[in-house]
Amino acid sequence: MKGKMRKPVQIVILIGVLLLGGYAIGKTLFASGGAPKIGDKPPAFELAGLDGEIHELEDYKGKPLIINFWGTFCPPCVKEMPEFQNQYDKWRSEGLEILAINLSEDDLTVRSFLRDFDLNYTILRDHGKTVEKRYGLRSYPTTFFVTAEGTIQDIFVGGMTEQDINARVEKLLQG
């Protein structure tokens, strides 16, 4: 009898493990987790910049803002960094600010990467991925376009062309 019951018990245990694992994975992947949506206010943060200063979201109140999450390991991120710079040069006289938040990479990696580009918008460091979690990121790059009134006007997941960025900035500056 023991031999006959062993196989069905193993199958029941396997099914239980699969169901529990599937539930946990589904909950992680599909939970809203408070991730901001279009029309929401972006979650507050306080991050160190490569300039040695502490930057808070509140510091940019009243300005149209792009918040871009990026990493040196991400080819679309690398491609769009100079395109963001071109847009920043074009629109900063209109008050546009760009915050590029690096995703927990070490200082040496980030500084080496930035040496290859002439970027003069704000680069921030998200050590421990706390801000990344608050923003509910699922893939990189992810970019939030925030109005001067402080609401999220658009969220773009994936790499953007300079034309994509320009169209969104024009809309952002129109209010």
Side-chain angles (χ1 to χ4, degrees):
M1 184 85 171
K2 283 186 181 179
K4 282 186 170 184
M5 292 302 293
R6 185 176 188 162
K7 187 123 180 132
V9 168
Q10 287 174 335
I11 291 172
V12 168
I13 291 172
L14 178 61
I15 290 171
V17 168
L18 290 174
L19 287 173
L20 187 60
Y23 172 77
I25 290 169
K27 189 161 174 72
T28 301
L29 289 176
F30 301 110
S32 68
K37 298 177 232 22
I38 292 173
D40 290 349
K41 296 224 177 269
F45 59 79
E46 184 176 299
L47 293 171
L50 289 180
D51 58 6
E53 301 292 320
I54 298 296
H55 297 260
E56 295 181 49
L57 180 61
E58 185 71 19
D59 298 338
Y60 299 91
K61 190 175 185 177
K63 297 181 179 187
L65 180 64
I66 297 173
I67 303 171
N68 175 253
F69 290 89
W70 68 282
T72 63
F73 54 84
C74 162
C77 301
V78 172
K79 183 182 180 307
E80 71 184 10
M81 295 293 278
E83 294 170 352
F84 276 114
Q85 181 63 51
N86 292 339
Q87 292 300 301
Y88 182 63
D89 291 342
K90 180 177 178 180
W91 298 107
R92 73 175 146 196
S93 65
E94 302 291 322
L96 179 69
E97 293 286 346
I98 298 177
L99 304 178
I101 301 176
N102 179 265
L103 302 166
S104 296
E105 294 181 278
D106 64 84
D107 284 340
L108 181 62
T109 300
V110 173
R111 289 185 188 282
S112 293
F113 171 81
L114 293 175
R115 261 186 243 121
D116 295 339
F117 299 93
D118 185 23
L119 305 176
N120 59 15
Y121 53 87
T122 305
I123 307 293
L124 303 176
R125 306 296 309 288
D126 185 16
H127 295 291
K129 299 183 179 185
T130 56
V131 176
E132 174 185 350
K133 290 173 188 164
R134 262 187 236 146
Y135 278 72
L137 265 59
R138 297 285 183 233
S139 64
Y140 316 112
T142 297
T143 307
F144 293 80
F145 294 83
V146 181
T147 66
E149 291 76 33
T151 59
I152 298 170
Q153 185 179 71
D154 197 4
I155 302 169
F156 194 94
V157 178
M160 299 175 69
T161 65
E162 193 166 339
Q163 292 77 20
D164 291 332
I165 300 165
N166 187 70
R168 284 168 175 79
V169 171
E170 285 179 350
K171 185 177 172 190
L172 191 63
L173 294 174
Q174 291 172 359

